[in-house]
DNA sequence: TATTATAAACACATATATGTGTTATTATGC
DNA sequence: GCATAATAACACATATATGTGTTTATAATA
């Protein structure tokens, strides 16, 4: 069972990914195709429903023409 | 079933994590305690056996006093 | 209204990450 | 040799990510 902190983390990443995707002018379908992952997976990640793995993050970064560090460069709560 | 590319990715990350941990002078047990994850998990990640999730990566980065982008800043094959 | 594009929301199976144990191995020091 | 520390290597249960499919919702546009 995922805890509150992790829930917030994946939600924040979801918003971040959506921002990167829309800024790049991609639809979910385009991103999914380029990253070679199911379109549903993209939607679930953007909505903060799932906790993506390293390999999925890497695939997304490649599709967005970014490095992995760039992809995960988003504000994480410190507390 | 994980593919060859992803297998290489998580192996490289495993080496990288081990390098960060030993450079910081931590044992697997210390890192596991600080990150609040099982020690076995740390070993499996370092050996490239598993594909860690975003929340696990975040926990490791915190325990290593690094940012998430810093933690995942390792050479990824381009091909 | 009807059509199209986009995204959300479902269901479901399967692979696997996580979490908890225990035991074995590999050093390193006495 | 014997201990101790550190890591590896198992087994196992459970939660969940992935992957595939279908259906619904929403918005824009003709």
């Amino acid at each position: 069972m995922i805890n509150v902190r992790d829930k917030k983390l994946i939600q924040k990443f979801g918003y971040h990914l959506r921002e990167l995707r829309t800024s790049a002018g991609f639809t979910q379908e385009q991103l999914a195709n380029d990253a070679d992952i199911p379109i549903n997976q993209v939607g679930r990640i953007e909505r903060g429903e799932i906790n993506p793995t390293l390999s999925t993050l890497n695939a997304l970064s490649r599709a967005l023409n970014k490095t992995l560090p760039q992809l995960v460069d988003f504000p994480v709560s410190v507390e």
Side-chain angles (χ1 to χ4, degrees), chain A residues 25-67:
Chain A
F26 290 127
T27 65
Q28 288 185 346
E29 191 172 23
Q30 288 173 316
L31 176 57
N33 286 342
D34 289 356
D36 195 30
I37 63 179
I39 181 175
N40 284 359
Q41 198 77 352
V42 173
R44 284 182 287 200
I45 294 170
E46 286 188 353
R47 292 192 297 278
E49 294 177 359
I50 61 177
N51 190 7
T53 61
L54 177 60
S55 62
T56 297
L57 295 174
N58 185 55
L60 290 171
S61 72
R62 291 168 58 95
L64 288 167
N65 296 309
K66 297 206 174 295
T67 65

Side-chain angles (χ1 to χ4, degrees), chain A residues 17-32:
Chain A
L17 176 62
R18 176 160 299 183
E19 174 63 27
L20 290 180
R21 175 181 60 82
T22 56
S23 294
F26 290 127
T27 65
Q28 288 185 346
E29 191 172 23
Q30 288 173 316
L31 176 57

